[in-house]
Amino acid sequence: MTSHQNTQTMKPATAAKKLGVYLEATPAEFREGVVSRSELSALQADPPEWLRELRRNGPHPRPVVANKLGVSIAGLARGGVTEALTTEQIEALKQEEPEWLLRERTTQAEVRKEAVRIKEKNAERAEKARERNA
């Protein structure tokens, strides 16, 4: 019996998310088709000009915008940013440093510090448990 392997495909939205680009800014042929795993790998390994341009100048999806600004996605929403932004718009926001951005960056820094504290505490507990069991 011969096994037939089906090519795994994904929706364009999933592929765009994996590539870190805003779906609506991709070419029509990308948005209207399906993307196989091998096609995705090829796009990641050797991105075409349209993909390089999108990654360089945007518009960028919210997770990328949040990362570039150093805030959470929820922080973007609280700041009123609900749409994709270009690199130029992101740089302008960084220069302006609106109050909401400073506040969200502070919040994000506190969240990261707390995550590190919890991770260290859990590691300490695990080490004590190993010592007790040894």
Side-chain angles (χ1 to χ4, degrees):
M1 181 185 241
T2 307
S3 102
H4 291 24
Q5 212 174 17
N6 290 338
T7 303
Q8 283 188 324
T9 60
M10 61 192 82
K11 294 178 183 176
T14 304
K17 189 174 186 176
K18 289 180 181 286
L19 293 169
V21 295
Y22 186 57
L23 178 63
E24 285 73 19
T26 61
E29 60 269 10
F30 181 86
R31 287 192 311 268
E32 294 166 1
V34 293
V35 180
S36 70
R37 292 257 181 223
S38 60
E39 289 169 332
L40 179 67
S41 294
L43 287 169
Q44 290 170 324
D46 186 22
E49 183 55 35
W50 65 264
L51 182 54
R52 287 194 301 269
E53 179 66 22
L54 274 179
R55 287 177 170 169
R56 188 173 32 254
N57 297 316
H60 303 287
R62 288 181 306 156
V64 173
V65 173
N67 187 42
K68 286 179 180 274
L69 290 174
V71 300
S72 66
I73 295 172
L76 281 180
R78 286 190 292 270
V81 178
T82 57
E83 297 297 317
L85 298 179
T86 63
T87 301
E88 188 177 302
Q89 292 168 315
I90 293 168
E91 292 304 317
L93 270 175
K94 286 179 177 179
Q95 293 299 315
E96 292 169 18
E97 288 192 320
E99 180 62 35
W100 70 265
L101 181 57
L102 298 175
R103 187 174 51 249
E104 291 301 332
R105 282 179 169 170
T106 301
T107 300
Q108 189 69 7
E110 290 169 4
V111 167
R112 287 184 182 130
K113 274 198 290 190
E114 181 64 8
V116 167
R117 186 191 69 77
I118 290 170
K119 184 177 179 180
E120 289 171 351
K121 188 174 183 176
N122 289 339
E124 189 178 303
R125 283 184 184 158
E127 181 62 31
K128 286 181 181 178
R130 277 193 298 275
E131 288 173 1
R132 278 192 304 264
N133 293 335

